[in-house]
Amino acid sequence: MSLGRRTGTGLFAVLTAFAATLTLVTPAEAAVHDCRVSGDRAVCAYVTGIDAGSWLQMRTGPGYVYADVPYGRLDDGDEVGLDCWTTGDGAADNPNYRYWMRIDTGVRSGFVNDWYLDTGNPAVWQQRIPTC
């Protein structure tokens, strides 16, 4: 066997092992994490997918027809506590995704569509977060 072939085979084994590791736990599934909100233990996630200069608006209920929560603007990367989940309107960027989270920032609470949180797969977070 030539040296070139061994190197290629070794590289293939390393890449295969790396790919297998990625399929075990994805970052999105691991995103729901423990934190503290106003000193209390909570399950949390980060706001994601919000363009620079824009924000995610908290609502008083699980849909866009509900009133805005005053001063309830969230920026990309903000950490929020997850109180509970329910269904409502589809996300603006994905009308078929209808999960909404009641969140707590430590100062105010309200609802946001889960599409804009890095909670990961609903089958994973529904085990940790109760329904509203």
Side-chain angles (χ1 to χ4, degrees):
M1 184 179 279
S2 73
L3 180 60
R5 186 168 177 177
R6 280 190 202 152
T7 303
T9 303
L11 180 59
F12 177 77
V14 169
L15 290 175
T16 302
F18 179 72
T21 302
L22 290 179
T23 60
L24 294 176
V25 179
T26 64
E29 290 175 342
V32 173
H33 59 276
D34 294 326
C35 70
R36 294 200 176 269
V37 176
S38 297
D40 295 327
R41 294 180 60 125
V43 175
C44 293
Y46 292 101
V47 174
T48 188
I50 308 302
D51 295 331
S54 192
W55 64 87
L56 178 61
Q57 181 64 52
M58 293 169 60
R59 306 270 178 184
T60 58
Y64 298 106
V65 298
Y66 290 90
D68 293 352
V69 171
Y71 305 102
R73 292 181 175 186
L74 301 168
D75 295 317
D76 198 65
D78 285 351
E79 185 178 48
V80 295
L82 308 173
D83 292 336
C84 62
W85 69 273
T86 189
T87 56
D89 293 345
D93 293 325
N94 183 352
N96 295 321
Y97 196 83
R98 305 178 67 80
Y99 295 111
W100 286 72
M101 293 282 181
R102 187 172 69 203
I103 62 167
D104 184 358
T105 65
V107 177
R108 57 195 43 85
S109 63
F111 288 84
V112 297
N113 191 291
D114 179 60
W115 183 258
Y116 304 103
L117 301 174
D118 71 346
T119 54
N121 185 327
V124 175
W125 57 253
Q126 286 175 346
Q127 297 174 26
R128 294 195 62 196
I129 303 165
T131 57
C132 296

